[in-house]
Amino acid sequence: MSPVLCSLFLKPHAEHHKEYQNLNLLQKFFYKFNIAFKTTTERYGRGFVFLLRHKWVTLVIFAVTGVILFWASSSMKKGFVPTEDRGIIFTDVQLPPGASMERTYNALKTLQAKALKVPGVQNVTISTGRGFLSGNGSNNGLAFVKLKPFEERKKMVRLLKRSLKDYLELLVPFLMPK
């Protein structure tokens, strides 16, 4: 083809240009979206046909993906406490319905005293009258168990759960933030 003939084919036609100008903003958006979608679909189809005809490329892609996944899983740190450990345990305490706030406070004070004896616990803050999971009421309470830095508290979480689970009248779930 000659350059002049190419310029005639590539030049936009006046009718098409006027039709596009008459479209409103939403219609222009959908018009351009349809063009982009058609182009993407055609490219995907050509790529799919290429992978069907050249199966070795597909096998290489799978092999590289497998190597990357193996490397990522073997180099990732493993452990119980993730790196985003904030050093706090949220504790929800729920006594039987109808328990007084004084009884709840005494139970929380006992929990606080026992928790402070566990190595790795820095401080315990308690609050009566409401809980994280149990809602408001005189039989509910919560405790924030502030932990020492991670290096100073290796097996502390299991010890803490074991020493506090002897409350038969309390429902004490431990919420470890992630």
Side-chain angles (χ1 to χ4, degrees):
M1 272 197 199
S2 68
V4 176
L5 191 56
C6 287
S7 70
L8 287 175
F9 283 128
L10 296 175
K11 190 175 186 180
H13 300 290
E15 310 87 48
H16 174 70
H17 189 64
K18 286 181 183 175
E19 284 178 18
Y20 182 75
Q21 291 299 329
N22 292 336
L23 297 177
N24 66 27
L25 185 63
L26 188 62
Q27 290 171 334
K28 286 180 181 179
F29 168 76
F30 284 122
Y31 178 78
K32 295 217 179 209
F33 176 83
N34 287 336
I35 290 172
F37 187 79
K38 182 180 176 189
T39 305
T40 304
T41 304
E42 289 172 356
R43 286 185 183 173
Y44 175 79
R46 285 193 305 260
F48 186 73
V49 168
F50 174 81
L51 289 176
L52 278 176
R53 289 185 182 152
H54 303 93
K55 291 175 179 43
W56 61 272
V57 175
T58 307
L59 292 174
V60 168
I61 291 172
F62 278 127
V64 168
T65 304
V67 168
I68 290 172
L69 286 174
F70 178 76
W71 172 78
S73 67
S74 64
S75 65
M76 205 174 288
K77 291 184 179 179
K78 296 170 182 70
F80 176 71
V81 181
T83 55
E84 62 269 2
D85 175 32
R86 295 188 333 196
I88 191 166
I89 299 173
F90 302 98
T91 306
D92 189 64
V93 176
Q94 182 179 8
L95 272 68
S100 68
M101 192 165 292
E102 182 179 351
R103 182 175 169 198
T104 306
Y105 178 76
N106 290 336
L108 283 168
K109 285 303 272 183
T110 308
L111 183 133
Q112 182 181 37
K114 284 192 167 240
L116 286 172
K117 291 178 185 175
V118 175
V121 174
Q122 183 175 333
N123 192 17
V124 179
T125 304
I126 59 172
S127 175
T128 59
R130 91 176 86 160
F132 288 114
L133 304 173
S134 52
N136 298 333
S138 62
N139 64 325
N140 300 321
L142 55 93
F144 302 98
V145 181
K146 177 72 176 148
L147 307 174
K148 292 180 181 176
F150 181 68
E151 295 77 32
E152 299 177 32
R153 54 181 169 94
K154 295 295 180 191
K155 298 177 183 175
M156 190 275 317
V157 175
R158 277 183 267 142
L159 257 169
L160 183 64
K161 281 186 177 181
R162 202 176 310 132
S163 67
L164 297 178
K165 282 296 182 180
D166 58 353
Y167 287 110
L168 296 177
E169 63 179 323
L170 300 177
L171 172 64
V172 184
F174 295 93
L175 307 172
M176 306 291 189
K178 295 182 180 174

